């Protein structure tokens, strides 16, 4: 993961320098338009993951194969819908509403078409990814991650040597790398999981159940899209592509950081659903509590040095310090940490299969990001305003999730607030004291920044271990270290 993060940050720097701020901003915002067309993808992906994991938890292999076949059929239908939407409404929006320099419109159109194909690929491969997660073959993601990193390096090299328009070339190279990764997942699944050998199967009640479940997930996907790409487009409407580029850089940094949480949570998610399917509520609640804390701690461990030393690190990384990148990065990381803490609550709600109240309540609150931000920007607000709004709404949504999960399964809300939310805030505050003090006392240079980063890591580890873990959890950590390190020696 550290290797992947390093390569991601390296390639981001080269791509920014090669494309330039304007083209980099265009690529990010055009991709956002396609993401809007692909909202059905996210909605159906969550449904597929839940139903495959649930059937696997019950041990019904025949039903598992039937669910997979119906899901893949639905994804084929969604691909057709996405193409129709993207080539009509999306294309009109690109040409009439986006702020793109006239001389770059041809390249933007090529990037748009490549992004549509990439969206179709992600649709088709979704049931296969869901199957890997349901079977908990997490090692597969490690190997494919190595492949993805290698492809990123290849893209950067080819971008520098191919004598063609770099923006459109970059779009084509990214599409090619995504196609290779998708093909790898599909081939692996067909060789290891019998249920992924697709044969057309139709069952109207199952189809309706999946689509109905996905309908509420669609509402949740729309809300997430509004928070992410919707705000990106809003920034483009009020400001220039350089602001979109700054946001894109900040999200790339955040993506590299949150990848640690994402991989950890990918392993946890199917276990929460399986515990519920088996009626083991005690172990499910323990896992929700622990995964909420550990998700926050993982992001805190990686991000604290970046948050404190962001100006120096970004300038060292990019060779320049674009406006808004530092404050964007800091705010986005804080928002991601709060969302990461809340994500296991979402999985607990999804495990029950009763998601209408959850998606309507949390989704509606999340959608408010767009109108509230629009009002502030219309009144003369600066780009940072949208992230302050997002931070406030993410915090509110955390407590809304707690209330909803309590209604679905008698969840111990008070204990969660004290043992998870309160503990995470307290640990973060304590861990910040020493590195922040050193940062304020030392002059900014490479050696001093490295000292602060090292102190951040040590402060986080010692504070989390000493104050953030229970006695039982500390015992688990010691056992893992003993098995993984001492045993190897």
């Amino acid at each position: 993961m550290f290797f992947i993060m390093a390569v991601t940050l390296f390639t981001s720097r080269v791509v920014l320098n090669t494309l330039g701020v304007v083209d980099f901003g265009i690529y990010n915002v055009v991709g956002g338009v396609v993401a809007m067309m692909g909202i059905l993808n996210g909605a159906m992906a969550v449904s597929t993951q839940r139903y495959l994991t649930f059937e696997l938890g019950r041990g019904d292999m025949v039903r598992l194969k039937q669910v997979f076949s119906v899901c893949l059929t639905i994804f084929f239908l969604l691909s057709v819908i996405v193409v129709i939407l993207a080539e009509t409404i999306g294309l009109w929006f690109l040409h009439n509403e986006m702020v793109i320099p006239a001389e770059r419109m041809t390249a933007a159109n090529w990037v748009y078409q490549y992004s549509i194909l990439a969206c179709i690929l992600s649709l088709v491969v979704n049931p296969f990814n869901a199957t890997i997660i349901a079977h908990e073959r997490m090692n597969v993601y490690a190997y494919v991650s190595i492949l993805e990193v290698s492809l990123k390096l290849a893209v950067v090299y080819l971008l520098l040597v191919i004598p063609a328009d770099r923006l459109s070339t970059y779009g084509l190279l990214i599409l090619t790398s995504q196609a290779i990764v998708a093909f790898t997942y599909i081939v692996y699944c067909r060789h290891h999981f019998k249920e992924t050998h697709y044969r057309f199967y139709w069952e109207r009640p199952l189809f309706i159940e999946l689509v109905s479940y996905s309908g509420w997930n669609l509402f949740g996907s729309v809300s997430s899209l509004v928070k992410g790409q919707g705000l990106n487009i809003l920034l483009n409407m009020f400001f220039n592509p350089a602001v979109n580029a700054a946001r894109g850089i900040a999200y790339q940094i955040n993506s590299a950081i949150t990848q640690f949480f994402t991989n950890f949570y990918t392993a946890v998610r199917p276990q929460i659903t399986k515990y519920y399917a088996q009626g083991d509520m005690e172990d499910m609640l323990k896992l929700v509590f622990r995964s909420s804390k550990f998700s926050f701690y993982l992001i805190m461990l990686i991000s604290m040095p970046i948050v404190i030393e962001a100006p120096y690190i970004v300038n060292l990384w990019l060779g320049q310090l674009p406006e808004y990148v530092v404050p964007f990065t800091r705010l986005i990381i804080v928002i991601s940490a709060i969302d990461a803490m809340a994500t296991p609550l979402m999985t607990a709600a999804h495990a029950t299969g009763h998601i209408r109240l959850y998606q309507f309540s949390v989704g509606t609150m999340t959608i408010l990001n767009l109108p509230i931000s629009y009002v502030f920007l219309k009144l003369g607000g600066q780009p940072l305003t949208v992230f302050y709004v997002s931070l406030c709404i993410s915090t509110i949504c955390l407590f809304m999730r707690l209330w909803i999960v309590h209604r679905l399964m008698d969840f111990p809300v008070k204990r969660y607030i004290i043992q998870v939310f309160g503990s995470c805030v307290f640990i973060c505050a304590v861990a910040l004291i020493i590195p922040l003090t050193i940062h304020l006392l030392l002059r900014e240079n490479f050696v001093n920044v490295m000292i602060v980063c090292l102190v951040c890591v040590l402060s986080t580890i010692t504070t989390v271990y000493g104050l953030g873990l229970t006695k039982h959890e500390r015992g688990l950590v010691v056992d893992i270290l003993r098995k993984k390190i001492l045993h190897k020696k």
Side-chain angles (χ1 to χ4, degrees):
M1 280 308 308
F2 280 106
F3 173 67
I4 292 169
M5 183 171 68
V7 172
T8 299
L9 296 177
F10 167 74
T11 54
S12 298
R13 168 180 175 151
V14 177
V15 168
L16 174 63
N17 289 337
T18 305
L19 295 182
V21 172
V22 173
D23 276 2
F24 188 78
I26 291 172
Y27 180 83
N28 275 275
V29 77
V30 168
V33 176
V34 177
M36 292 181 68
M37 300 300 107
I39 55 175
L40 294 172
N41 182 10
M44 191 59 207
V46 174
S47 303
T48 303
Q49 175 66 66
R50 188 265 174 187
Y51 277 88
L52 289 177
T53 304
F54 195 88
E55 297 303 334
L56 195 61
R58 294 201 306 176
D60 191 340
M61 301 309 293
V62 173
R63 189 62 174 169
L64 180 65
K65 188 168 186 178
Q66 292 171 347
V67 170
F68 178 87
S69 295
V70 173
C71 286
L72 192 54
T73 300
I74 293 173
F75 274 107
F76 284 135
L77 294 174
L78 289 179
S79 299
V80 176
I81 294 172
V82 166
V83 170
I84 293 173
L85 290 174
E87 297 294 359
T88 53
I89 298 173
L91 206 57
W92 172 86
F93 191 84
L94 175 68
H95 284 271
N96 292 277
E97 296 297 327
M98 304 304 296
V99 180
I100 297 174
E103 67 274 11
R104 303 306 296 145
M105 186 56 77
T106 300
N109 272 290
W110 278 111
V111 168
Y112 183 73
Q113 297 301 324
Y114 296 144
S115 299
I116 293 172
L117 292 174
C119 183
I120 300 304
L121 277 174
S122 66
L123 280 166
V124 174
V125 81
N126 248 320
F128 297 94
N129 282 345
T131 302
I132 294 173
I133 294 171
H135 283 274
E136 300 184 59
R137 298 288 181 87
M138 304 309 163
N139 60 316
V140 176
Y141 284 99
Y143 295 131
V144 176
S145 293
I146 295 172
L147 173 62
E148 285 186 274
V149 166
S150 302
L151 290 171
K152 281 183 179 180
L153 290 172
V155 165
V156 167
Y157 173 74
L158 293 172
L159 185 63
L160 293 172
V161 300
I162 294 177
D165 181 87
R166 286 178 171 173
L167 178 57
S168 54
T169 301
Y170 182 63
L172 177 59
L173 292 173
I174 291 295
L175 169 63
T176 304
S177 65
Q178 290 178 329
I180 294 171
V181 170
F183 180 74
T184 303
Y185 280 128
I186 293 172
V187 169
Y188 177 86
C189 286
R190 288 183 60 82
H191 275 80
H192 291 83
F193 309 125
K194 292 182 179 179
E195 66 267 22
T196 60
H197 290 247
Y198 176 76
R199 289 184 181 180
F200 181 77
Y201 172 79
W202 181 256
E203 182 184 319
R204 190 170 179 271
L206 177 60
F207 177 84
I208 293 174
E209 185 178 354
L210 283 165
V211 172
S212 175
Y213 190 89
S214 299
W216 285 108
N217 280 330
L218 175 61
F219 189 75
S221 296
V222 170
S223 66
S224 297
L225 187 67
V226 168
K227 179 181 177 180
Q229 296 300 339
L231 292 179
N232 191 24
I233 293 171
L234 192 63
L235 287 172
N236 179 261
M237 294 170 64
F238 280 89
F239 306 100
N240 56 50
V243 175
N244 294 107
R247 177 198 171 275
I249 294 166
Y251 266 97
Q252 289 206 6
I253 297 172
N254 183 66
S255 177
I257 292 169
T258 55
Q259 191 66 40
F260 288 84
F261 148 73
T262 302
N263 283 1
F264 162 74
Y265 185 66
T266 298
V268 170
R269 189 194 314 161
Q271 279 297 320
I272 293 175
T273 304
K274 287 177 182 177
Y275 279 141
Y276 185 85
Q278 295 162 4
D280 190 350
M281 298 302 295
E282 183 179 351
D283 282 335
M284 191 202 78
L285 290 176
K286 286 180 181 177
L287 189 55
V288 169
F289 272 58
R290 284 178 182 165
S291 57
S292 292
K293 286 198 304 182
F294 293 168
S295 297
F296 184 89
Y297 294 155
L298 277 171
I299 291 181
M300 187 175 77
L301 175 66
I302 305 301
S303 66
M304 188 179 290
I306 297 174
V307 170
I308 293 177
E309 296 291 356
Y312 187 89
I313 291 174
V314 170
N315 189 54
L316 181 67
W317 168 42
L318 297 177
Q320 55 182 296
L321 191 61
E323 189 179 10
Y324 294 117
V325 169
V326 169
F328 280 5
T329 299
R330 286 170 169 164
L331 282 170
I332 290 169
I333 288 173
V334 174
I335 294 167
S336 294
I338 293 172
D339 289 341
M341 190 194 308
T343 302
L345 297 172
M346 178 189 70
T347 301
H350 278 277
T352 67
H354 305 294
I355 60 169
R356 177 164 42 183
L357 176 63
Y358 175 88
Q359 294 290 20
F360 179 77
S361 303
V362 177
T364 301
M365 180 57 64
T366 304
I367 286 174
L368 289 177
N369 272 284
L370 195 61
I372 293 174
S373 296
Y374 178 84
V375 170
F376 276 110
L377 293 180
K378 198 71 175 176
L379 293 173
Q382 294 302 303
L384 278 173
T385 304
V386 301
F387 296 106
Y388 286 121
V389 172
S390 183
L391 176 59
C392 293
I393 291 180
S394 287
T395 305
I396 294 171
C397 284
L398 170 64
F399 290 96
M400 288 184 68
R401 290 182 175 100
L402 281 172
W403 170 70
I404 293 166
V405 174
H406 173 69
R407 290 194 57 175
L408 292 174
M409 61 176 67
D410 194 25
F411 190 86
V413 174
K414 185 177 180 180
R415 185 153 60 94
Y416 183 95
I417 292 174
I418 295 172
Q419 296 181 7
V420 178
F421 182 78
S423 176
C424 288
V425 173
F426 174 72
I427 295 303
C428 184
V430 173
L432 267 171
I433 294 173
I434 297 176
L436 194 57
T437 302
I438 295 175
H439 165 75
L440 294 173
L441 292 175
L442 297 180
R443 289 186 177 182
E444 190 179 81
N445 57 55
F446 181 80
V447 174
N448 289 341
V449 167
M450 291 301 102
I451 290 173
V452 172
C453 290
L454 178 61
V455 172
C456 283
V457 173
L458 294 175
S459 177
T460 301
I461 291 174
T462 54
T463 307
V464 167
Y465 184 82
L467 301 175
L469 303 181
T470 64
K471 183 178 179 180
H472 177 66
E473 289 166 349
R474 285 195 292 270
L476 290 176
V477 171
V478 172
D479 287 342
I480 291 171
L481 291 175
R482 189 177 290 125
K483 291 177 182 177
K484 296 292 184 181
I485 300 176
L486 298 180
H487 178 68
K488 289 182 179 180
K489 291 183 179 180

